Amino acid sequence: MSPTDNRLRRPERLAVIGAGYIGLPTAAGFADLGYEVTCAETNPTKLARLAAGQVDLHEPDLEDLVRRGLKTRRLSFVDHAQRAAGDASIVFICVPTPQAEDGSADLTFVESVVADIGPLVRPGTIIVTRSTVPVGTADRLRNIVGRRDVHVASTPEFLREGSAVRDFFHPDRILIGASEPVVRRRLGELYDVFGVPVIVTDIATSELTKHAANAFLATRLSFVNAMANICEAAGADVHQMMQVVGLDPRIGPKFLAAGPGWGGSCLPKDTRALAYVARQLGEPFTQLESTVRSNEAQFDRVVRRLADHLDGSVQGRRIAVWGLAFKAGTNDLRDSPSLEVCKRLVAAGADVTAFDPAVGAAAVSQLGFAYAETSIGACFGVDALVVLTEWPEFAATDPSLVAAAMSGDVVFDTRNVLDINEWTSAGLRLVTVGRSSPDPLNSSASANAA
Ligand code: UGA
């Protein structure tokens, strides 16, 4: 579409506050759908790069989408929430809601943005939380705004990092939490274009549902990891087990891969935030608290098992780590299981050298371990290699090159992505999560990277 083509012009003007993992795909996505979108980003370096069409997030297709938005002039970037929100009819709040010391969600950024824009937005404006917020946030924001002519609503995002653009245009479902019919209608029209179920609820249900979805996913993974640990003790195979379990349509095949523990920018903080809210509400969520604890134990377990394969201790041992991002397809290190394991290895006296295809040396310079520029480079002279992120290039590496580079022979594949037969044939001792010895009839481990 040319910059002058007005066929797709939309009635609502959108503001998106925050150009992070949630805000940027939202802003650029809606601009692509024909809306005028102004996105506010306070970091001056990031702002200048965005205005020049440069995106630092490792997110497929996002840079193209941003450039397209800039070219059509439907997407623009400004340095302050007030400048974005003043002309908007719908304002999406996409600023971080980090975890506070006590496990609750820290709403400082959300509340300060809303306090800033509250007095100046036009009558009829809808302020929508898109960041994950605890139940009760909309009520707090309504009090902060203190205007009867401004609406507050919630439309939580369900994007996954690494597929945010795809998830924006092809969501599974849309959730709108709003009380007034006019707000429900206007937000409904915004999301109509996706052709997927749009569920409209009251705001409390919407806020709580996002937490429920992430808590459910985390619980599912902790369950799988617990079964993996039982498989190790019993000599059974968690991969085959989960293939069978996942064929039950009530369960489904996705999100069943055992690993070093789950992490990322959402699951850890959202599980803790929900557990905190539940305690505050007088309904302690003991099962979720145990899910969080068992995940911590899973990180410890990786170090303990590695030590077991290195004569009882990692102290003074040279360890190569493949993968630092919290999952493949992203360069995000927030609450990465890999960093949790690296931290524990360093604390136990190991000498760690890490490599990640998407994370540069600068990002790890403060973390207490060395960085290698290549995967094989990380392996020179090491006693053991630990695979902590499931990047496809790791599974595609020739194990004989690894064997030639290493001093020792222990390879701990915490993501179950390496082919057991191939890596064993190269003379390496492959340690896996919840997998028994190689099954000659089913040797492809890579299928586990679902
Ligand atoms: C998660 C949810 O999956 C999204 O639905 C949600 O919208 C998003 O949080 C959010 O709240 O913004 P994301 O944080 O991108 O998305 O990461 P996931 O793909 O869920 O992975 C989380 C962790 O679980 C990673 O450490 C990953 O390696 C691990 N994982 C995932 C496994 O260990 N096994 C699996 O089978 C799948």
Side-chain angles (χ1 to χ4, degrees):
M1 185 175 145
S2 78
T4 50
D5 187 343
N6 279 330
R7 274 173 307 170
L8 290 178
R9 298 262 173 218
R10 306 285 187 172
E12 306 277 4
R13 272 188 76 95
L14 310 184
V16 174
I17 314 302
Y21 280 99
I22 303 171
L24 198 53
T26 302
F30 276 122
D32 213 54
L33 292 173
Y35 290 92
E36 301 281 333
V37 186
T38 309
C39 180
E41 170 56 53
T42 50
N43 177 323
T45 319
K46 198 167 157 189
L47 176 67
R49 288 178 58 74
L50 285 171
Q54 287 161 344
V55 173
D56 295 326
L57 305 177
H58 187 93
E59 202 55 70
D61 303 324
L62 186 55
E63 193 165 85
D64 286 347
L65 198 64
V66 167
R67 289 184 175 181
R68 208 151 62 222
L70 291 170
K71 201 168 162 207
T72 59
R73 300 214 181 90
R74 286 198 298 270
L75 178 63
S76 57
F77 294 96
V78 295
D79 62 354
H80 199 284
Q82 289 186 336
R83 291 189 57 204
D87 283 337
S89 56
I90 300 177
V91 182
F92 289 102
I93 309 293
C94 300
V95 294
T97 52
Q99 188 183 308
E101 285 285 304
D102 58 5
S104 65
D106 179 350
L107 293 177
T108 311
F109 297 120
V110 174
E111 292 182 347
S112 101
V113 163
V114 171
D116 274 354
I117 65 171
L120 61 87
V121 292
R122 295 189 312 202
T125 298
I126 311 174
I127 298 177
V128 191
T129 52
R130 192 144 164 88
S131 309
T132 306
V133 294
V135 61
T137 301
D139 290 340
R140 290 169 67 157
L141 299 184
R142 213 177 266 120
N143 286 338
I144 291 173
V145 175
R147 284 174 56 180
R148 295 175 64 105
D149 62 346
V150 173
H151 311 282
V152 175
S154 140
T155 64
E157 57 75 31
F158 295 101
L159 311 175
R160 289 159 305 166
E161 285 185 26
S163 58
V165 171
R166 207 205 149 273
D167 290 348
F168 177 84
F169 288 107
H170 305 282
D172 301 317
R173 74 291 206 198
I174 299 290
L175 173 58
I176 296 175
S179 36
E180 302 108 311
V182 62
V183 178
R184 291 179 164 197
R185 182 184 53 71
R186 283 173 58 196
L187 291 176
E189 281 169 10
L190 198 65
Y191 287 109
D192 218 19
V193 59
F194 296 112
V196 295
V198 176
I199 296 107
V200 182
T201 67
D202 58 75
I203 299 182
T205 305
S206 168
E207 291 171 334
L208 204 48
T209 300
K210 177 59 199 286
H211 268 159
N214 277 358
F216 199 87
L217 290 171
T219 305
R220 179 172 167 119
L221 291 179
S222 279
F223 176 90
V224 173
N225 287 338
M227 283 313 308
N229 300 345
I230 295 168
C231 283
E232 280 161 23
D237 186 309
V238 74
H239 175 54
Q240 292 180 332
M241 175 188 284
M242 289 305 151
Q243 272 183 329
V244 178
V245 169
L247 281 170
D248 182 332
R250 292 170 303 176
I251 296 174
K254 295 186 179 158
F255 236 71
L256 288 175
W262 41 267
S265 56
C266 304
L267 264 44
K269 82 174 170 60
D270 290 353
T271 43
R272 288 182 176 86
L274 178 55
Y276 181 90
V277 164
R279 280 197 303 277
Q280 295 295 103
L281 292 171
E283 294 292 342
F285 198 160
T286 48
Q287 189 196 14
L288 186 60
E289 287 174 9
S290 139
T291 289
V292 171
R293 275 197 306 276
S294 68
N295 199 44
E296 296 285 324
Q298 193 73 5
F299 303 143
D300 296 336
R301 185 181 171 94
V302 172
V303 178
R304 203 172 57 243
R305 287 189 68 212
L306 182 64
D308 287 348
H309 287 273
L310 292 171
D311 302 327
S313 171
V314 295
Q315 189 176 16
R317 307 308 288 265
R318 294 187 59 192
I319 314 288
V321 161
W322 279 5
L324 291 165
F326 79 88
K327 64 175 181 180
T330 178
N331 59 356
D332 197 343
L333 295 175
R334 285 178 290 175
D335 276 322
S336 166
S338 174
L339 291 192
E340 289 295 333
V341 170
C342 288
K343 220 160 59 187
R344 285 162 171 75
L345 286 172
V346 170
D351 178 2
V352 174
T353 302
F355 165 76
D356 186 291
V359 178
V364 299
S365 59
Q366 309 294 322
L367 298 174
F369 50 84
Y371 185 80
E373 293 297 331
T374 63
S375 56
I376 299 296
C379 295
F380 282 116
V382 298
D383 300 299
L385 162 65
V386 190
V387 180
L388 284 161
T389 311
E390 72 285 19
W391 288 103
E393 42 267 70
F394 297 156
T397 305
D398 178 351
S400 65
L401 297 177
V402 177
M406 289 176 62
S407 292
D409 62 356
V410 175
V411 176
F412 189 174
D413 176 13
T414 71
R415 296 286 188 165
N416 292 342
V417 289
L418 306 181
D419 189 287
I420 299 176
N421 283 332
E422 267 183 34
W423 284 68
T424 311
S425 306
L428 295 162
R429 262 195 295 160
L430 195 65
V431 184
T432 59
V433 174
R435 304 208 67 184
S436 52
S437 51
D439 179 348
L441 295 177
N442 182 15
S443 66
S444 172
S446 55
N448 205 18

